[in-house]
Amino acid sequence: MSSGRTAEPEHRTAPAPDRTAIAHRAIRVTTAASAGFYPFVYGVDRPAIALYALFGPVALGMLSPIPGSGRQRAAVMLRALPVGLALVALGTALAVHTWAAVLGMLVVGFVLAFGAVGGPRPAGAAPGLQLFYILACFPPYAPEHLGERLTGLTVGVLLLAACEVFLLPAPPTASYRQVLADAVALAGRAAAGSADPADRLREAGRQMRLSHIPPAERPAGAGRADRALGQAGGAARRLLEQLARMRDHPRAADAKDAASAELLGRVASVCAATATALRTGRPPPRPGSEDLRAAVREFQAVRIAEATGPPRDMPIPVLRRQASVLAMAESTRLLQTAVGIGLDGRRRPSVQPRELFWYADVSTALLWWRRLAGNLTLHSVQFQNAVRTALALGAARLVAGSLDLSHGFWVLLAVLTLGRTTAGGTWAAVRSALVGTFAGAIAAGTLLLVVGRDTDVYAVLLAPGMLAAFALGPLFGIAWAQGLFTLVVSTAFAQIAPATWQIAEARIVDVVTGSTIGLLCGLLAWPTGARREVRRAMAALLRSCGPLVDGTVVVLTASPPGAVPVPSTRLVLHRLQLAEAAYHQLRSEPGGTASAAPADWHAVLIAANHVLYGAQALPRLDLPADAVPPDVAAWARTTAGRLVLTTERVAALCAGERPPPPAAYASPAEAPAFPRLPLLIDLEHWLGSLGGQLARIERSLPGG
């Protein structure tokens, strides 16, 4: 049983910015900010309302990378509005003392940054929500203006949400369900005997990777539906790879038998029904999964009878093909079950295998708690990022308050916008930001000196200035963004209160202070980002896989059969989640996807999934009725022991440690002459494939 061949390391450059999408977003944010700002400044003379009506759209529209279509973004903004109002109220109350504001900043900064464990949407809204607290927690302490602040923020966010829906809205993208449905339909056609080549099947599997799915469509939440659809995607990728491998070996495909052909036909029909369910949104009928499970049991019984009964001359190629077909059927059954849970969304008791679908009968609140608790560890990159962000923002608030910096919230804004997950990335952003800020401050200071207090000029310049800043900044980089934003804030504040060229000077001081604090925190708190953590996480993942392989072999070769309980996969699943999070962050960091000698971290994740699949499937499908011959059991356990040593060696290489000496894998040719039991064919296939994957991973690592 094989979950797929090892993928090659990916070398991808950052995609070119979508100029049209950037321009449309700039128009939407500028329109919303202007519609909220000008009427309250010049119509009713309420500067506090105007300020929050301006920064609401800027915070959620530009500083927050909320993913999705226009309607999806608007929905996230409307859900974030009550949280934003609460944060403004909290900041207004805690502005009474610097220490109170600092403590609040630490808590707010950590909670909002840690919310990234809930998926791309809460992660995208977090910077804007943090800015709402930051803006309110600075002097003057003015609780009497709380109503105006809340009114301004409400107006600004509602205007932005309306613009997201009606003014040049971002178009919707293909949903994860649609992509999954297309992949499952292709798998069904391939199982039915279509002429789709192996490369097309593998390409469809690659398109199921989360890195290829738009962030808003990724099933990354902690709820039951997202967990199930994510699991269905993994099962679909495994099924496509299994079908592609069968096409890679035409001789094995020619070794046909009636039982395999019948089961493949059942796989094709179940895939077609599952694809239809994904497109319509109606869960597939539950008896369908039970029918496939019964077909698998019947197939396995026929297979064992033909292999062990007279005349006992079942060709090895036929047995190997049957092993592949059995694996496909099991992948299809897991796929159908996961899709049913994902589309239904309700709790389902006693979904089998319980170890795999443990979340089906768990409350949503408990599922979220397990997600949060699972990431409350120093080895979670989400936890590291949250701690780094909270410390930087708290330190910035302390410095700005203690030194009584003018417009001190700019210090925290610099920390928020320039901070990166690596010290190198932060330094690169800071260098560009300082250049842009100096240039923008010179331009803003000159403008303020020349224009003086003629607010009409600033009113004319603000809207086109915002449009230019929001359009050119994302296109040309941080220097342009900081320089133009300096001009924007200078012209905005000059309309709210009398301003001189010294506001540009304050902007420089604040940005330099915030940049220094952000850089220091980046150097002190996990400065290498995910690079070190991904090595540690991959090593820990492999070290948890070794005992699972050994325990599975012990279960399958126990005498009498069933005397040993099936080992738990919980530890491997937990470490796989942490390793995947570290890997995804590494891919997002500068230089994270290419280096002089790239390690194939994705291959480690594939190998771990291969181990999990065998540990979950083999004991259910292949537990023998009679005891395995002692010499065959000894060979299997010796082979498993050598693979455990190999996982330890590869784990040491992943962690940069001195590896133990290599352990030779016992190939099937070295095995004793054992009867042609399907169990042993499947076991040899599983162990052999794992050995090959580990060898390829070792070759990709320095020192391997």
Side-chain angles (χ1 to χ4, degrees):
M1 288 186 171
S2 173
S3 65
R5 67 182 183 181
T6 301
E8 295 298 323
E10 292 182 271
H11 308 280
R12 301 197 309 170
T13 58
D18 187 336
R19 295 174 181 270
T20 301
I22 290 173
H24 288 179
R25 182 178 64 174
I27 292 172
R28 291 193 298 270
V29 175
T30 300
T31 301
S34 300
F37 181 77
Y38 287 115
F40 286 109
V41 170
Y42 297 102
V44 294
D45 192 23
R46 294 293 182 91
I49 299 179
L51 179 64
Y52 281 80
L54 173 72
F55 275 94
V58 173
L60 286 180
M62 291 304 303
L63 301 182
S64 299
I66 299 175
S69 65
R71 290 187 177 276
Q72 289 174 323
R73 291 177 183 174
V76 173
M77 293 169 184
L78 293 177
R79 285 196 292 267
L81 179 57
V83 180
L85 295 175
L87 290 172
V88 169
L90 179 64
T92 300
L94 297 183
V96 62
H97 292 298
T98 295
W99 62 265
V102 171
L103 291 178
M105 189 72 262
L106 288 171
V107 174
V108 169
F110 177 84
V111 170
L112 291 177
F114 191 63
V117 301
R121 291 178 185 176
L129 292 173
Q130 287 169 336
L131 183 59
F132 295 154
Y133 174 85
I134 291 170
L135 192 61
C137 76
F138 273 94
Y141 173 64
E144 67 276 8
H145 292 307
L146 177 59
E148 293 184 337
R149 293 177 175 182
L150 299 180
T151 299
L153 180 60
T154 302
V155 170
V157 173
L158 292 179
L159 286 170
L160 179 61
C163 289
E164 289 287 348
V165 175
F166 299 111
L167 180 61
L168 302 173
T173 56
S175 69
Y176 186 78
R177 274 175 39 193
Q178 290 174 313
V179 177
L180 179 57
D182 292 342
V184 174
L186 176 62
R189 293 194 300 271
S194 70
D196 296 292
D199 289 344
R200 183 182 178 190
L201 298 177
R202 290 198 170 94
E203 178 59 27
R206 282 190 288 269
Q207 293 304 316
M208 290 298 302
R209 292 181 184 174
L210 293 185
S211 58
H212 292 280
I213 303 296
E217 303 297 341
R218 296 172 187 171
R224 189 176 300 102
D226 275 4
R227 288 178 186 268
L229 289 177
Q231 196 171 34
R237 288 187 60 196
R238 183 165 56 244
L239 176 59
L240 288 165
E241 179 60 36
Q242 290 163 342
L243 289 163
R245 286 174 65 86
M246 179 172 288
R247 279 162 166 69
D248 285 337
H249 303 285
R251 290 186 178 180
D254 291 338
K256 298 178 180 178
D257 62 285
S260 295
E262 182 180 352
L263 188 57
L264 271 178
R266 190 70 65 91
V267 166
S269 63
V270 170
C271 284
T274 303
T276 300
L278 285 165
R279 292 191 175 107
T280 61
R282 292 191 294 270
R286 295 191 187 185
S289 178
E290 297 300 324
D291 291 346
L292 186 56
R293 180 186 298 179
V296 167
R297 286 197 297 264
E298 181 181 349
F299 173 81
Q300 189 71 329
V302 171
R303 185 182 178 216
I304 293 174
E306 291 180 348
T308 59
R312 300 195 181 193
D313 58 353
M314 178 72 71
I316 290 294
V318 173
L319 287 174
R320 291 190 186 281
R321 175 182 167 81
Q322 288 179 338
S324 299
V325 172
L326 183 65
M328 294 176 200
E330 184 64 10
S331 296
T332 304
R333 189 181 72 81
L334 297 179
L335 165 65
Q336 187 186 39
T337 302
V339 168
I341 297 172
L343 295 181
D344 188 2
R346 294 175 296 181
R347 296 175 67 172
R348 287 190 179 187
S350 304
V351 178
Q352 298 299 324
R354 184 71 176 173
E355 186 78 12
L356 194 60
F357 296 106
W358 59 271
Y359 58 85
D361 192 28
V362 178
S363 67
T364 302
L366 184 56
L367 288 174
W368 276 98
W369 167 248
R370 294 182 73 159
R371 170 68 64 85
L372 295 173
N375 281 276
L376 284 174
T377 167
L378 291 175
H379 297 310
S380 166
V381 291
Q382 307 286 16
F383 181 83
Q384 294 173 5
N385 294 340
V387 170
R388 185 191 301 111
T389 299
L391 291 177
L393 290 175
R397 180 62 183 87
L398 178 63
V399 170
S402 301
L403 299 182
D404 195 22
L405 296 179
S406 177
H407 298 284
F409 78 94
W410 285 344
V411 178
L412 281 79
L413 183 60
V415 171
L416 192 63
T417 56
L418 301 179
R420 301 294 186 268
T421 56
T422 65
T426 302
W427 171 236
V430 165
R431 284 183 302 175
S432 298
L434 292 179
V435 172
T437 301
F438 274 108
I442 292 173
T446 302
L447 177 67
L448 292 167
L449 280 173
V450 172
V451 176
R453 297 188 178 183
D454 188 351
T455 56
D456 291 340
V457 175
Y458 302 128
V460 171
L461 293 177
L462 178 60
M466 285 193 292
L467 184 61
F470 301 154
L472 299 181
L475 284 176
F476 298 131
I478 296 175
W480 280 81
Q482 289 291 326
L484 292 171
F485 191 68
T486 300
L487 278 171
V488 168
V489 295
S490 298
T491 55
F493 278 101
Q495 297 174 70
I496 293 176
T500 66
W501 64 269
Q502 291 175 324
I503 193 174
E505 178 188 31
R507 170 76 175 159
I508 294 175
V509 172
D510 291 344
V511 171
V512 170
T513 303
S515 300
T516 303
I517 293 171
L519 189 58
L520 288 175
C521 288
L523 288 170
L524 296 175
W526 300 283
T528 59
R531 285 170 175 78
R532 178 177 296 177
E533 189 55 40
V534 77
R535 299 180 70 91
R536 193 214 64 81
M538 296 296 177
L541 176 61
L542 286 172
R543 286 179 172 131
S544 65
C545 286
L548 185 58
V549 172
D550 188 62
T552 302
V553 171
V554 169
V555 169
L556 295 173
T557 58
S559 181
V564 178
V566 176
S568 172
T569 60
R570 186 66 57 84
L571 179 61
V572 178
L573 286 168
H574 174 63
R575 290 186 175 177
L576 178 61
Q577 177 188 350
L578 295 178
E580 286 176 337
Y583 173 68
H584 291 319
Q585 177 168 309
L586 179 71
R587 286 173 50 83
S588 70
E589 294 174 351
T593 56
S595 61
D600 195 352
W601 299 125
H602 187 253
V604 178
L605 301 178
I606 289 178
N609 277 289
H610 177 73
V611 170
L612 279 170
Y613 177 64
Q616 293 160 347
L618 289 175
R620 292 198 314 275
L621 300 176
D622 279 334
L623 201 61
D626 301 317
V628 176
D631 55 343
V632 176
W635 166 80
R637 294 186 181 187
T638 299
T639 301
R642 292 177 179 176
L643 280 175
V644 171
L645 294 177
T646 302
T647 60
E648 288 291 337
R649 173 178 171 80
V650 178
L653 290 171
C654 287
E657 303 168 356
R658 183 177 180 180
Y665 169 68
S667 67
E670 303 171 18
F674 50 76
R676 296 177 177 180
L677 292 174
L679 158 68
L680 303 177
I681 298 293
D682 297 346
L683 184 59
E684 176 268 314
H685 197 176
W686 181 55
L687 296 176
S689 179
L690 178 60
Q693 292 183 53
L694 291 173
R696 286 188 289 270
I697 295 169
E698 184 174 350
R699 288 195 297 270
S700 78
L701 294 168

